[in-house]
Amino acid sequence: MELNYVISITDRDQIQELAALFQSLELNMGLAMLGKGTATSEQLSIYGLSNTEKAIVSTVADGESARQLFRAAKRKLFMDIPGNGIMLTVPIKSVGGGRTLAYLTGNKTPAGGAPDMNFEHELIIAVLNEGYSDAVMDAARTAGAGGGTVLHARGTGTKQAEKFFGVSLAEEKDILYIVATAQQKAAIMTAINKTTGAGTKAGAICFSLPVSQVIGLRKMDDN
């Protein structure tokens, strides 16, 4: 069965509308987290946007439910129009047990195999020391990143990680989400690591996940 983790990044006043879409498709799990955007004042001015607080709303959906959710997000929330948020899917490879699968799929009969992991976009996740998200985002922009969303978190890292790698996760952290093309991904992660990575004040560590479908990204001219 094709199963996806669906992530929506939008203004906070859209949380209830997204929750209503989940309920209309009988998606059992819905999670909302609060974050903030990373657009510069120049970008906000160019595109006529306001620097609003963001929400990251997620759910789990099978392939058909995800496609219906994307169609509804386009029709009701206009998410295919740049500036109205981003919705993306990350393929799920496995789940923990039959009851979990039944809960996440509404008791649908499993079908199909593992998803193809070769996609055009990827979600870069950077975990960094609190207060350094602007520096990390600036580094990412030098490699072509357009923007990101910041979440606040608290680490639960081990002493061994700090001793051997110089990275402490047992403190206040920021998490930065950046959606990029697969071609841009390596350069962006290299730029983050080079100037704001482990051993720097930002202490950023980053990894990426495949994105099987995305709407809401700004289209850039090839020139």
Side-chain angles (χ1 to χ4, degrees):
M1 170 178 284
E2 178 188 350
L3 207 58
N4 303 280
Y5 184 51
V6 185
I7 302 173
S8 304
I9 303 173
T10 186
D11 294 340
R12 293 187 185 180
D13 58 7
Q14 298 292 322
I15 292 177
Q16 294 303 320
E17 285 81 358
L18 282 166
L21 293 184
F22 296 169
Q23 293 173 4
S24 69
L25 294 172
E26 298 182 348
L27 302 176
N28 290 330
M29 190 187 79
L31 302 173
M33 299 174 282
L34 303 182
K36 62 179 181 179
T38 62
T40 64
S41 57
E42 181 180 2
Q43 289 173 319
L44 294 172
S45 176
I46 290 173
Y47 295 113
L49 303 176
S50 58
N51 192 10
T52 55
E53 298 295 303
K54 298 297 180 182
I56 296 86
V57 187
S58 59
T59 187
V60 172
D62 63 29
E64 179 56 31
S65 295
R67 286 185 280 274
Q68 291 181 29
L69 180 57
F70 269 62
R71 287 195 293 268
K74 292 177 182 179
R75 185 175 65 255
K76 297 183 178 181
L77 302 180
F78 307 106
M79 271 198 173
D80 54 330
I81 300 175
N84 289 333
I86 295 173
M87 179 177 285
L88 59 96
T89 56
V90 175
I92 294 175
K93 187 175 182 180
S94 59
V95 299
R99 288 191 175 184
T100 299
L101 180 62
Y103 172 75
L104 294 176
T105 63
N107 254 341
K108 292 180 181 178
T109 303
D116 180 9
M117 301 295 274
N118 184 25
F119 299 117
E120 295 182 359
H121 294 87
E122 297 197 27
L123 174 64
I124 299 171
I125 300 176
V127 181
L128 51 129
N129 293 329
E130 182 186 19
Y132 288 91
S133 57
D134 287 344
V136 176
M137 193 65 231
D138 287 344
R141 286 193 179 99
T142 66
T149 301
V150 182
L151 300 171
H152 185 67
R154 190 178 191 284
T156 60
T158 64
K159 292 183 178 179
Q160 287 85 349
E162 185 172 5
K163 178 179 178 181
F164 292 107
F165 301 107
V167 176
S168 174
L169 288 178
E171 55 189 33
E172 299 302 307
K173 293 289 177 180
D174 285 338
I175 301 174
L176 179 60
Y177 282 3
I178 302 171
V179 181
T181 65
Q183 291 78 12
Q184 289 177 311
K185 180 258 301 183
I188 292 172
M189 294 177 69
T190 297
I192 291 173
N193 184 60
K194 182 177 180 181
T195 59
T196 57
T200 68
K201 290 183 178 180
I205 57 174
C206 58
F207 54 92
S208 70
L209 299 173
V211 172
S212 53
Q213 186 178 2
V214 61
I215 54 173
L217 289 182
R218 297 192 181 280
K219 300 297 183 183
M220 301 178 65
D221 287 334
D222 292 336
N223 296 327

